[in-house]
Amino acid sequence: MMRYRSIVRARLSTDRAPAGRARHQSHRVDAWTAASISSVVAGMGLGSPLLVVVLPPALFAMRQARTQRAMRRNQRLLDRSVIEVIDRLAQQLRSGRSLAAAVSSLLADIDHGADAGHGLGARLDACRRAHAAGANLGAALRRADVVGLPSLALLATSLRLMLANGGPVALSLDRVGETLRAGVAARDDAAAHAGQATASADLLTLLPVVFAAVVAAIEPAAAQLYLRSWTGAGCLAVAGLLSAASWWWIDRAVQR
């Protein structure tokens, strides 16, 4: 009965963790929302349609681009961390340790705070809690947070199969590591070759804004049109929307 209660407590504490991360993300979203609302209120107070029509969608597009790039950067760090974990496990296996002991040691050594920079510790923390509560390694590994991280899903599935079936586990881990290294190298090479296309997409997105600013600085009538006229604000909004759609299309094509 005591063991059952400890497992239930571990599962409940694990289920609360994603909610905490969701609340933290909602706070960040609220900051962007507050900025958009402030822009609308300021635009209505100053009589500037530009602040009402153009700035909120621009803030939304900036948030999406920033979030997307941060997710890609974090995923690259996570992939490299998974490879490091595979190397550690393979080294322990070659030193004479069993796979179960190596995986148990890995889960026991997870430090959530020290690993907060790339989040691998947080993704495996549920496994550690479940194993510490008495669950077997196969069941504990099923609790890994593999959403959006195929490399960790591959590692967790491979470990469960090796724990269940045995076999040349060190060689199998080496093959998994080679597969992940090849994928990381291919993505890095593609990103390096796509740097010029990404820079061009950023430049093309900002070009309409720069052009409108230059025209407004030269011609007062254009400035009046963009700042005080709903027609001018609508033109800028449409131009920004088309530019953002072009940037998204180029970025999606480059990242495939």
Side-chain angles (χ1 to χ4, degrees):
M1 178 64 68
M2 294 298 295
R3 180 179 178 181
Y4 173 77
R5 290 178 179 176
S6 63
I7 294 176
V8 171
R9 285 196 298 268
R11 290 182 177 178
L12 289 176
S13 62
T14 303
D15 293 339
R16 285 195 295 268
R21 289 196 294 268
R23 285 194 297 268
H24 183 63
Q25 292 176 355
S26 66
H27 292 324
R28 291 202 301 265
V29 172
D30 289 342
W32 288 95
T33 304
S36 299
I37 295 175
S38 300
S39 172
V40 173
V41 172
M44 297 296 292
L46 298 174
S48 175
L50 179 67
L51 297 178
V52 178
V53 176
V54 178
L55 192 55
L59 290 173
F60 176 78
M62 290 171 59
R63 183 190 69 180
Q64 292 298 107
R66 181 180 178 183
T67 301
Q68 190 172 12
R69 289 181 176 178
M71 289 176 58
R72 289 171 181 167
R73 182 170 59 251
N74 189 53
Q75 185 172 8
R76 288 194 295 269
L77 292 174
L78 284 169
D79 287 337
R80 288 178 172 82
S81 298
V82 171
I83 294 174
E84 292 176 2
V85 167
I86 292 174
D87 292 340
R88 286 171 53 189
L89 290 174
Q91 184 178 9
Q92 292 185 36
L93 291 173
R94 289 189 172 86
S95 66
R97 211 168 193 181
S98 66
L99 179 61
V103 175
S104 299
S105 176
L106 172 67
L107 295 178
D109 291 341
I110 291 175
D111 186 353
H112 187 99
D115 202 44
H118 43 71
L120 186 59
R123 287 177 174 262
L124 293 175
D125 191 58
C127 302
R128 181 187 64 82
R129 293 174 182 271
H131 185 54
N136 60 60
L137 286 175
L141 289 172
R142 291 183 182 275
R143 301 184 63 83
D145 182 8
V146 299
V147 177
L149 191 60
S151 58
L152 184 58
L154 176 62
L155 174 60
T157 303
S158 301
L159 289 176
R160 291 201 308 268
L161 290 175
M162 285 183 277
L163 287 168
N165 301 323
V169 290
L171 180 60
S172 299
L173 278 177
D174 288 339
R175 297 289 175 82
V176 174
E178 291 173 2
T179 301
L180 295 181
R181 284 188 178 88
V184 169
R187 285 194 297 271
D188 290 344
D189 186 65
H193 286 85
Q196 184 176 357
T198 304
S200 299
D202 295 340
L203 179 61
L204 291 174
T205 302
L206 295 176
L207 191 58
V209 178
V210 175
F211 179 77
V214 171
V215 172
I218 296 175
E219 181 59 45
Q224 187 70 16
L225 173 68
Y226 291 141
L227 296 175
R228 300 296 180 183
S229 169
W230 287 97
T231 302
C235 291
L236 289 178
V238 171
L241 179 62
L242 294 175
S243 297
S246 300
W247 177 89
W248 177 83
W249 182 81
I250 295 174
D251 184 73
R252 182 178 177 84
V254 166
Q255 296 298 329
R256 281 184 176 180

